[in-house]
Amino acid sequence: MLFHSTAAAIDQQPRSERSHQLHKMSCPFCMIASATPPSNDPAIINSPHGSAYPVLSTPIIVAFLDIAPLSPGHLLVCPRRHAAKSSEITVVESAALGFWLPVLTKAVLKSVGTTPEAASWNILQANGMYSQ
C-alpha cells in the first residue's frame, strides 16, 4: 500500500524528478538510510532484502556493516541523502563524512581487536557501473 501511494505521488512529478525518485526507491543505501532514523542507538533493520546492522545514524550520515564483507569490520558509510557518485555529495555531507571517518575507523579497529599502530586497512570510494 505504501508503495502505491508513493508511486502515485511520484507520477505527478516532472519526468526527471520522477526518474530520480524511482531510482532512490531501488537504491539499497537509500532503503537502509530511510529505515534507520537518526539515533544514538540504531537498531538492526530486517527486510525482505536482508538485514542491515547500522553502527552510526546521524541526520546526515548513516554507517552500517556490509552484508557481504570483504574483510572483518567492512563498514559502509554514506550520506543519508541519495548521491550516486561522490561528485554529488554536498559540502555539509563531506564535512560530516570527514568528521566521522576517523571515529568509525578507531571503533572498527577496536571491534576487530587491533590498534591503529598494528593494523593496515583500506578506505576507498567506488561508484559507477564498473567500479569494484
Side-chain angles (χ1 to χ4, degrees):
M1 205 53 115
L2 177 62
F3 174 77
H4 294 294
S5 62
T6 304
I10 290 171
D11 285 340
Q12 302 303 314
Q13 298 172 346
R15 181 176 212 130
S16 61
E17 179 63 21
R18 188 176 349 154
S19 172
H20 181 71
Q21 291 295 326
L22 288 172
H23 179 71
K24 279 176 53 177
M25 289 171 52
S26 66
C27 173
F29 305 116
C30 288
M31 286 190 263
I32 292 168
S34 67
T36 312
S39 169
N40 292 332
D41 187 23
I44 295 171
I45 297 137
N46 293 303
S47 80
H49 305 290
S51 297
Y53 299 91
V55 297
L56 175 73
S57 184
T58 76
I60 299 171
I61 301 298
V62 63
F64 46 93
L65 296 172
D66 195 298
I67 61 170
L70 298 176
S71 61
H74 185 168
L75 190 67
L76 300 171
V77 184
C78 58
R80 191 170 283 286
R81 183 187 62 84
H82 179 77
K85 296 187 175 193
S86 62
S87 57
E88 298 172 3
I89 295 172
T90 68
V91 171
V92 171
E93 291 164 338
S94 296
L97 288 165
F99 174 83
W100 286 109
L101 192 58
V103 174
L104 291 166
T105 299
K106 291 172 189 168
V108 167
L109 293 174
K110 185 175 181 178
S111 74
V112 298
T114 191
T115 65
E117 297 77 26
S120 297
W121 65 91
N122 295 311
I123 296 174
L124 63 98
Q125 187 277 320
N127 53 232
M129 183 183 299
Y130 301 106
S131 64
Q132 291 185 24

